[in-house]
Structure formats: structure tokens, C-alpha cells
């Protein structure tokens, strides 16, 4: 079977949608590829490349690489057409993505896989990714009247100082949600926090020093399969010293989400017993399953 890696084309859309629209038909979360595919094609450029494996009359698989910084690449959307499984599709596409990212200067590539997606996890490990970290979503209810017990300020220097010494940073290996690419994580920097502070999107909880921090990375809308549109405020990471600091942090985020006009809010938190139990103590809902982040070293490909 002759399979050729190439960039995506407009004419590939129908074939890709045909084998991705039922990817996770047995779960509430559906495959987002059919919804974003045309946007991916429209935004192809120097920092983004979508690869397909051309099988002549069909598409055997696809994946996308995105440069998040001068040394970080993000891999997403790896899908294999069921009719071509067992032909090394994911390995071929991943190698093409790694080579492209390394040529652009990236030294590391990361991806994200749902913890329940056993096939996806096995696929990632087999193609060169190794475990990096894991996280959950805390889901505070937007509430304009929420009142933190402790002082909360939009202070990027204080937030950065706390982040650097926090257990959360250690567990998350310095990663938080990216500011430009949805559903991607990248290294959190002081420069990012300074940029966000001008929009009051940085939160430093203080009492005799800084005891918690978070940042809002984006707001967005999502339309369900039933046609209902919901708005979200998303926070790139939450880190805190103890349960009291956690309560004040989530109160501040609840208030901020309401000010953003959001129907829902979610905060990336470390997947540790302490962090998940502190969220429960703060009476904030939390997702039932974690997500996994994996990474691959690209330095030998440069």
C-alpha cells in the first residue's frame, strides 16, 4: 500500500469528516475535528501545519502541529481512518510532525490525551511521547456576589513568585493553558502574566505574602449538538497554599467569570490528592476524570 505524507487540502475535508464524525460516539464528548477542520485549513502558515496521509483514493489519517513558542510544539488531532489501522499511520504522521517542528526550532513536542482514551495513550507512547503530567478541571459557578476572604490583586509579579515555589508548578512541570491555542499547554512565563494583568486576568491571593494564583487565558462559546450555546471563562491554572487560600481563589474566579458574562467556568488544577480534596473542601465541582499531558524530546532531530 502506497501512503504519502503531505499537507492538508480543501478537497480532503469530506473524507476526513467521514471517518472522524463518530470517533467517540459512545461518549458524551464528541470528536471536535469535523467542527474545526475548515478553520485549520484557513489558518495554515509558518507556525501551524496539518498533515494527512494520502492513500490515493482516501485519507488514511491526519494530525496537526502548532508552534506555541520558539522551542515548544503542540501535537493534536491525531486520527487514524479505521480502514487503515495496522499500517503504521500514526507513527508515520508523528515522525513527519516531529521533523517539521524540529526544523522550526522546537526542542520539545507535547500532546494531551483523555485518561479514558486508552488507545490514544498507547498510540502516543508508541510514537515517541512519554508521560509529563496530569490535571483536572475545577468548575466554580459564576457568581457576581462571591466574596474572597483574603485580598486578591491583579499582581503578575506576586503571582509569578508564588507559582515558582508552588507544589502545583512542580507537579505540572511549569505548564499552564496556552494563551493562543485552545486545548494546549505551554510553559507559563512572567511575560505572559504581565500581558494578562492589563485585562485584570491575573489573580494573586495575599495574606502575609502571596498564597494562591491563577490567570484567565480566554473566554469562548460552545454550541452543543442540541444547538444550545453556552459561554465559558477558562483559567489556565490554579495554584494555592491551603484550603483557605483555595476558597478565596475560587471566589475570585467565580466573581470574575460572572463579570465576563460566562455561563460556566473551569480552572486547570493539578491531579494530586491535596489539590482535588481542597477543591472539594471549597465546595467547587471537579471533573470526574483527569487529562494526561505527554511530551517528546526533539533535540536529536534538529
Amino acid at each position: 500500500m502506497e501512503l504519502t505524507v503531505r499537507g492538508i487540502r480543501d478537497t480532503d475535508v469530506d473524507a476526513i469528516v467521514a471517518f472522524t464524525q463518530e470517533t467517540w460516539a459512545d461518549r458524551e464528548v464528541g470528536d471536535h475535528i469535523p467542527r474545526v477542520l475548515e478553520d485549520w485549513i484557513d489558518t495554515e502558515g509558518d507556525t501551524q501545519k496539518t498533515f494527512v496521509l494520502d492513500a490515493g483514493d482516501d485519507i488514511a489519517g491526519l494530525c496537526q502541529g502548532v508552534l506555541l513558542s520558539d522551542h515548544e510544539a503542540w501535537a493534536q488531532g491525531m486520527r487514524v481512518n479505521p480502514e487503515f489501522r495496522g499500517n503504521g499511520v500514526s507513527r508515520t504522521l508523528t515522525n513527519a510532525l516531529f521533523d517539521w517542528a524540529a526544523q522550526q526550532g522546537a526542542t520539545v513536542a507535547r500532546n494531551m490525551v483523555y485518561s479514558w482514551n486508552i488507545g490514544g495513550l498507547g498510540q502516543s507512547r508508541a510514537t515517541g511521547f512519554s508521560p509529563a503530567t496530569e490535571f483536572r478541571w475545577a468548575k466554580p459557578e459564576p457568581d457576581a456576589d462571591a466574596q474572597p476572604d483574603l485580598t486578591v490583586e491583579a499582581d503578575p509579579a506576586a503571582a509569578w513568585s508564588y507559582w515558582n515555589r508552588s507544589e502545583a508548578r512542580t507537579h505540572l512541570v511549569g505548564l499552564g493553558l496556552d494563551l493562543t491555542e485552545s486545548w494546549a499547554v505551554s510553559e507559563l512565563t512572567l511575560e505572559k502574566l504581565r500581558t494578562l494583568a492589563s485585562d485584570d486576568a491575573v489573580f494573586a491571593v495575599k495574606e502575609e505574602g502571596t498564597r494562591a494564583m491563577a490567570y484567565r487565558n480566554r473566554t469562548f462559546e460552545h454550541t452543543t449538538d442540541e444547538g444550545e450555546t453556552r459561554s465559558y471563562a477558562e483559567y489556565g491554572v490554579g495554584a494555592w497554599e491551603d484550603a483557605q487560600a483555595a476558597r478565596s481563589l475560587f471566589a475570585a474566579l467565580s466573581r470574575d467569570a460572572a463579570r465576563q458574562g460566562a455561563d460556566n467556568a473551569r480552572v486547570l488544577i493539578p491531579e494530586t490528592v491535596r489539590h482535588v480534596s481542597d477543591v472539594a473542601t471549597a465546595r467547587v465541582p471537579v471533573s470526574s476524570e483527569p487529562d494526561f499531558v505527554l511530551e517528546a524530546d526533539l533535540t536529536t532531530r534538529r
Side-chain angles (χ1 to χ4, degrees):
M1 182 181 299
E2 184 174 349
L3 302 173
T4 305
V5 178
R6 60 168 173 80
I8 195 168
R9 302 169 184 163
D10 290 337
T11 53
D12 298 327
V13 171
D14 289 345
I16 293 171
V17 169
F19 74 81
T20 58
Q21 59 186 349
E22 299 296 330
T23 301
W24 295 307
D26 59 336
R27 297 189 67 93
E28 291 183 8
V29 56
D31 197 340
H32 69 289
I33 297 297
R35 298 193 299 271
V36 303
L37 194 56
E38 293 187 3
D39 287 339
W40 281 7
I41 294 172
D42 291 342
T43 54
E44 286 283 278
D46 293 339
T47 61
Q48 177 180 301
K49 179 78 171 176
T50 305
F51 300 87
V52 300
L53 196 56
D54 192 329
D57 295 331
D58 208 344
I59 301 297
L62 83 154
C63 67
Q64 184 185 73
V66 182
L67 294 181
L68 302 181
S69 72
D70 60 359
H71 66 283
E72 297 171 278
W74 186 252
Q76 60 188 3
M78 174 63 73
R79 301 292 186 272
V80 176
N81 187 331
E83 296 183 9
F84 293 88
R85 289 175 181 163
N87 289 281
V89 173
S90 61
R91 185 179 298 276
T92 300
L93 286 168
T94 301
N95 280 328
L97 188 154
F98 285 172
D99 287 341
W100 169 82
Q103 289 166 8
Q104 309 309 308
T107 60
V108 62
R110 301 186 184 94
N111 72 351
M112 186 187 303
V113 183
Y114 294 119
S115 60
W116 50 260
N117 185 3
I118 305 304
L121 288 168
Q123 183 182 78
S124 291
R125 295 300 304 280
T127 56
F129 287 96
S130 298
T133 189
E134 54 281 320
F135 67 89
R136 290 199 194 209
W137 298 104
K139 301 179 179 181
E141 185 73 20
D143 181 359
D145 297 323
Q147 293 295 326
D149 295 329
L150 307 179
T151 301
V152 181
E153 297 178 356
D155 186 337
W160 175 248
S161 178
Y162 178 74
W163 170 247
N164 275 325
R165 66 175 185 271
S166 69
E167 179 187 347
R169 184 189 186 282
T170 300
H171 179 84
L172 294 170
V173 293
L175 303 174
L177 289 174
D178 191 67
L179 304 187
T180 57
E181 185 68 25
S182 61
W183 282 96
V185 295
S186 59
E187 294 170 10
L188 180 58
T189 65
L190 176 56
E191 289 71 25
K192 290 180 180 179
L193 293 177
R194 284 174 171 164
T195 298
L196 293 166
S198 61
D199 292 328
D200 291 328
V202 174
F203 309 86
V205 177
K206 299 180 178 180
E207 183 181 82
E208 298 180 355
T210 305
R211 295 173 55 189
M213 62 78 65
Y215 65 93
R216 176 178 11 95
N217 60 296
R218 65 171 178 148
T219 58
F220 65 98
E221 291 186 343
H222 173 68
T223 301
T224 67
D225 293 338
E226 291 74 30
E228 181 184 10
T229 299
R230 304 282 290 176
S231 59
Y232 288 79
E234 184 176 79
Y235 300 87
V237 76
W240 57 86
E241 194 72 17
D242 50 38
Q244 182 188 30
R247 285 193 295 269
S248 286
L249 181 65
F250 284 113
L253 301 186
S254 291
R255 184 172 60 189
D256 179 72
R259 289 173 176 173
Q260 302 305 312
D263 301 310
N264 303 89
R266 63 184 186 186
V267 188
L268 185 152
I269 65 167
E271 170 68 351
T272 73
V273 172
R274 184 179 77 79
H275 287 91
V276 174
S277 61
D278 280 351
V279 173
T281 299
R283 298 186 182 278
V284 172
V286 66
S287 58
S288 59
E289 298 171 314
D291 292 331
F292 293 152
V293 177
L294 301 94
E295 64 182 19
D297 184 348
L298 304 184
T299 55
T300 59
R301 294 175 178 260
R302 302 177 73 200

